Amino acid sequence: MTTMPGVAGERRWLLAAAGLGALGGFCLARATGPRRSLSVEGEKEPKDRSDPKMKGKRKGRREIICEDALKWIDEMQSFPFGAMVFTSLPDMSEVVEFLGPRFEDWEQFFMKAVRQILAALPLNGVAVFYQTDVRLAEKGQVSKAFLVLKAAQEVPQVRLKWHKIVHFGTIDQPTWNAVQFTHLLCFAKGPPEVARVGCQGPDDEVVDLGSTIPDVLERGPKPSLRKGACCMGLNATMAVLKWATRRLPGLHTVIDPFCGAGTVLAVANEFGLDAIGVDISPKRIKQAQRLNAKDLRPKAPVER
């Protein structure tokens, strides 16, 4: 697949940029068929940008789209330069109403989603997957990291940049029915001849292999939302986006094609990045529209 946007995809992203300046938010071109898009206005740039205390105070803008993520990616054809993908593909339980109860259907959907996301990356584009293994009585432990890596092997010019572990249980204590860790896998698209380590220069802008992120880190609190069990942890999300803002030149937008409650979108906005979220569930879309940074932090205990 070509790394440059197609004509239709380029036109959509040009319209998006125009909408950002004219309307105060992304305005993606609508494809045929029903689509609902909700915009969340970010804070304006400080008037006095010369004041060091005001630097970095701008919050990014947010665009939330209620649609099938794979269809949306197919319509976009290619993500724009300066955008990264950070997402967590849904478990079986989250999509059973759309795919049915068969494990094989979910597995096929999962791997197709990985391939489609990676194929849509532009040259030097990055995608990070946040995936927690599951244990099923009839299947044993299902390694989502393995499924992501297997699907990535089928996408040309894509390589694994780094792999981290997010821990959220009690270290050295066994668990019998569920794993207590999550995989963070970062992939980048580039020419196959580019070296993985020690590469410098314009051929590979993504030269850092996750050096600012610990190999094992704590998940951190989740949003205090109803049915928030599948949400990403705050610490892990912040660690990835802090790495991205430091190490990805020209980064301006974070895309989460399976945004759920919107953890990635809210944290990206706090980092001053624009965010685009897609989800097929209207309930999750409403959560993602309302979520902000204060919802991601644990509430302080009430003193008595």
Side-chain angles (χ1 to χ4, degrees), residues 14-36:
L14 289 173
L15 287 173
L20 180 61
L23 302 178
F26 284 107
C27 183
L28 299 178
R30 294 172 180 259
T32 57
R35 171 187 288 179
R36 183 170 61 182

Side-chain angles (χ1 to χ4, degrees), residues 30 55 58 63 71 84 91 115 125 130 140 146 151 167 176 182 185 198 205-208 223-224 242 251 267 278 295:
R30 294 172 180 259
K55 185 178 181 180
R58 175 192 180 271
E63 171 78 6
K71 178 182 177 183
M84 70 170 289
D91 293 334
R115 291 192 298 267
Y130 178 107
F146 170 75
H167 196 271
W176 65 273
T182 296
L185 301 106
E205 295 182 348
V206 189
V207 297
D208 183 83
S224 55
K242 184 180 292 185
L251 177 67
V267 176
V278 182
D295 298 321

Side-chain angles (χ1 to χ4, degrees), residues 91-286:
D91 293 334
M92 282 184 60
S93 60
E94 298 177 85
V95 291
V96 65
E97 59 183 301
F98 306 108
L99 299 177
R102 288 187 356 122
F103 173 84
E104 292 75 15
D105 293 333
W106 169 82
E107 184 179 38
Q108 183 179 8
F109 155 80
F110 187 96
M111 295 185 65
K112 179 181 179 182
V114 173
R115 291 192 298 267
Q116 203 160 329
I117 289 170
L118 295 178
L121 289 178
L123 188 64
N124 293 321
V126 163
V128 178
F129 296 89
Y130 178 107
Q131 304 296 159
T132 306
D133 292 355
V134 292
R135 289 174 179 160
L136 305 175
E138 66 280 9
K139 295 290 182 181
Q141 181 158 326
V142 179
S143 174
K144 295 181 185 174
F146 170 75
L147 295 179
V148 172
L149 289 166
K150 184 178 179 181
Q153 289 180 338
E154 303 175 20
V155 184
Q157 297 183 303
V158 168
R159 65 193 186 281
L160 181 68
K161 295 294 290 185
W162 48 258
H163 182 188
K164 310 290 183 176
I165 298 296
V166 180
H167 196 271
F168 54 88
T170 301
I171 297 177
D172 292 336
Q173 293 295 319
T175 57
W176 65 273
N177 63 341
V179 299
Q180 299 292 303
F181 61 89
T182 296
H183 300 274
L184 275 175
L185 301 106
C186 176
F187 296 86
K189 175 176 283 187
E193 66 273 10
V194 172
R196 288 171 177 252
V197 181
C199 175
Q200 300 292 334
D203 291 334
D204 185 7
E205 295 182 348
V206 189
V207 297
D208 183 83
L209 303 183
S211 63
T212 64
I213 306 176
D215 288 338
V216 180
L217 64 156
E218 292 186 10
R219 180 189 65 190
K222 290 185 176 184
S224 55
L225 299 172
R226 184 182 178 186
K227 296 183 179 181
C230 296
C231 298
M232 294 186 185
L234 175 61
N235 291 0
T237 305
M238 291 187 66
V240 171
L241 292 179
K242 184 180 292 185
W243 168 83
T245 55
R246 291 177 176 179
R247 303 301 189 187
L248 304 184
L251 177 67
H252 54 71
T253 302
V254 178
I255 301 172
D256 187 349
F258 299 92
C259 67
T263 304
V264 167
L265 310 181
V267 176
N269 288 163
E270 283 297 294
F271 275 91
L273 299 168
D274 296 323
I276 301 175
V278 182
D279 204 286
I280 198 171
S281 169
K283 293 181 179 179
R284 293 171 188 161
I285 286 292
K286 290 180 180 179

